[in-house]
């Protein structure tokens, strides 16, 4: 079998799950029931008051998109597979599929008295996703043979190993912080992803491989 | 890496999101609850009175389909990628994913006293999609290197640059108009897409590249 | 561009829509609300009484599957595209996306006094799908150039042209019949698809190209 | 047509259905309605009490993932198709699409007095999936020509034939057992899949082909 086809179907399956998870997010945003609103002013007010749904939708959209871009970039330098690697991919998909749930929970309770536990759950779901990336890296690093060549492996080690560990410490701290200062936690979380996107857009393509 | 594979996975991911968004539209059309209707006449009347759902479904189906066709055509002449280009694609997908929401809102309120703000939201979501196309073009045009060759880039510039700016002015006008004359706005919106389809069907394939 | 890639992305997009529509069908089958059932006997009875949901699910699953298989087979001999052909594909996808709605309607009302109009709607949605196939054929036949070679075009004309016209007459008759004898209509509809599957399984691959 | 493309689109369609079914599972996990919970303690308690939803989600996620991995591995040695084989694939997809329903039923009733029939339905849906694998094997074995070469066919016969029959006996026993000892049945079911994953991770890639 050629190198190209070995991971092609794994990538296609992952693409499918990423694409569906990112699109399902919109289903969580409800329209106001017809008859519940009476004036144009009420209508706009309702849409404005629903901003946490849009905030959650946008943040999770960005997270899944960035995760897909990273996944995509890594497969430019990985062209073989192993059972462990396949299941590590499966675990990453698990953490992606969970995101529509934690987004719904966080958005739904954001402006209520129970915002703290909902935000904590969201932070933990992001931490879990980060852990899945570390597992993904470990299984791909275990043997050099998944990579196209030794140079790819070295680049991967440098670009992914440290950043993903730093991200782990960061998201773990956010989880702990969220018990006392949930909104600070959420602001830092948001800032980290906006920062990530801006960085990604301003670097040159060759350095874009990263493991989040 | 060969030219073909560089954008292949980006296209596959986009295809997935387009396909899911276009299919999710049907979930917004509710069937009448069993027991709420008593005669065959009631049944047909209910289906007929639900025409705004079918109007919204059909219009958004056409918009997503046309957008996919344009996306597809453009990738015939673009065969490289860049981080900026990838995220510009991501933003376009964002505006596609939002469409099932704005369609639901517009259809649901179309025959109520709150049709105006719902139509305005729909017009703005289409304007946002148009803006994502302009961003998409700008990032792909920034360096000639994303295109197969210089001729492709020139063709793209000619076929996409002006039409997308004219479309921007048109949809922006519809947004403004929708505050006072929502139904005129919606009629012009519908007419523009029907016109688009008819044009696309009657031109020869070579000229079909366009940026909407 | 090579012949292979020209229709590859159109096929991928169609595959996505077929796959999503066929999977969304299961969302229409509701589980009994917890607390509404009190004995094991009630539980099994409820599942049994919900047989129309399973009947509708299975029938529409088969219809979408057969349609995908035919679509797949036809693209073995078509390897070029045109704007008209792309939009004819889009219209076929439209009729596929509508199926989860008409299935829900038909299943939901099958054992009520309003079974007749619900079955009529279902029959019309199948007729609409048949019409989309005829349109698909006409646009692909218009110029011989969409086909790999002249032999492919001749085979297509023979295997698809007549069967799809006969199918049109058949489904149109079922639509008319459904106004007076809805259950006979539905039985003939089911029989036609079961027959189709059995035929497809027992013929040799070379003759499988057909347009339903 | 080259060998590669003959099954490529069948694989792509199956990937789509697998990906959608695995992602739809998350839609079954509901968030507590805002306003129904009053203290942080209630919030965590509610999430904890909803563990059957997470158990069902995780188990079905694993089952679909393993099934996809097996499907993927088998297509490394099968590179031709037949109408029978295509429809056997279709039947397997049918049993995958049914899983979100049986998962919802099992999770929803797991902690109620009606756990037994709900678990029985779940066991039967897994047995049905196993039967679809046996059918899949039989149609692919019927003629050696679907396989790349004779060695592939022999390997397939050895690695898949016996395991799938043993699995049939095992799941059939679980179905029977579930009438009297539903929770023992469910524990054995879970153990069998956890065992399967652990085995898959610890074997070398060359032996990973299996038919579950």
């Amino acid at each position: 079998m050629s190198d190209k086809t070995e991971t092609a179907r794994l990538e296609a399956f992952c693409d499918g799950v990423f694409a569906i998870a990112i699109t399902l997010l919109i289903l969580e945003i409800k329209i106001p029931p017809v008859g519940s609103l009476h004036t144009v002013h009420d209508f706009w007010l309702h849409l404005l008051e629903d901003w946490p749904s849009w905030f959650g939708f946008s943040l999770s959209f960005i997270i899944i998109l960035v995760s897909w871009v990273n996944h995509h970039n890594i497969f430019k330098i990985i062209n073989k597979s192993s059972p462990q690697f396949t299941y590590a991919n499966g675990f990453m998909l698990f953490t992606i599929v969970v995101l529509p749930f934690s987004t719904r929970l966080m958005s739904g309770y954001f402006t209520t008295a129970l915002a703290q536990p909902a935000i904590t759950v969201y932070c933990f779901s992001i931490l879990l996703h980060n852990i899945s990336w570390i597992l993904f890296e470990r299984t791909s690093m275990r043997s050099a043979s998944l990579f196209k060549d030794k140079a790819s492996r070295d680049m991967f080690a440098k670009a992914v190993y440290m950043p993903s560990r730093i991200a782990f410490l960061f998201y773990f701290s956010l989880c702990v912080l969220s018990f006392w200062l949930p909104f600070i936690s959420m602001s830092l979380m948001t800032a980290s992803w906006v920062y990530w996107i801006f960085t990604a857009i301003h670097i040159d393509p060759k350095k874009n491989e990263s493991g989040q």
Side-chain angles (χ1 to χ4, degrees), chain A:
Chain A
M1 194 179 317
S2 76
D3 286 355
K4 190 186 159 291
T5 54
E6 189 161 350
T7 58
R9 217 185 137 187
L10 178 58
E11 291 171 62
F13 179 66
C14 293
D15 280 0
V17 174
F18 276 109
I20 300 152
I22 214 170
T23 315
L24 286 185
L25 292 169
I26 196 68
L27 293 186
E28 310 306 343
I29 307 188
K30 305 297 177 203
I31 69 159
V34 173
S36 67
L37 304 174
H38 299 96
T39 67
V40 173
H41 179 260
D42 283 358
F43 187 93
W44 291 116
L45 196 69
H46 179 96
L47 285 194
L48 281 178
E49 280 174 348
D50 199 28
W51 68 267
S53 291
W54 290 95
F55 164 62
F57 167 66
S58 305
L59 182 58
S60 293
F61 189 97
I62 288 174
I63 292 174
I64 297 178
L65 180 67
V66 168
S67 187
W68 177 81
V69 172
N70 289 333
H71 194 262
H72 170 57
N73 284 331
I74 287 175
F75 273 92
K76 287 180 184 168
I77 55 172
I78 289 181
N79 59 0
K80 281 175 282 298
S81 184
S82 73
Q84 293 85 342
F85 183 69
T86 302
Y87 283 105
N89 262 282
F91 180 56
M92 184 191 292
L93 296 181
F94 184 92
T95 66
I96 286 291
V97 168
V98 164
L99 270 181
F101 170 82
S102 55
T103 304
R104 231 185 313 161
L105 196 69
M106 188 267 283
S107 297
Y109 282 90
F110 201 78
T111 50
T112 72
L114 294 172
Q116 181 269 312
I119 287 174
T120 299
V121 168
Y122 189 78
C123 290
F124 267 105
S125 79
I126 302 299
L127 181 68
L128 194 71
H129 181 55
N130 171 264
I131 292 172
S132 82
W133 270 101
I134 294 178
L135 205 72
F136 176 89
E137 293 157 36
R138 288 177 63 95
T139 52
S140 61
M141 298 280 284
R142 193 172 291 178
S143 92
S145 60
L146 296 190
F147 289 89
K148 273 184 174 168
D149 45 43
K150 181 133 192 339
S152 295
R153 190 175 185 267
D154 292 345
M155 186 174 71
F156 181 79
K158 195 177 132 208
V160 176
Y161 191 86
M162 276 308 290
S164 66
R165 267 68 181 175
I166 292 169
F168 176 81
L169 286 179
F170 178 68
Y171 294 124
F172 184 77
S173 307
L174 291 190
C175 287
V176 174
L177 187 65
S178 70
F179 281 97
W180 292 275
L181 299 164
F183 297 105
I184 301 286
S185 235
M186 218 50 216
S187 307
L188 289 170
M189 171 74 81
T190 309
S192 77
W193 289 96
V194 171
Y195 170 79
W196 183 277
I197 288 246
F198 271 83
T199 313
I201 291 175
H202 290 98
I203 57 170
D204 76 292
K206 296 295 178 293
K207 291 180 181 168
N208 197 38
E209 281 77 22
S210 178
Q212 169 196 129

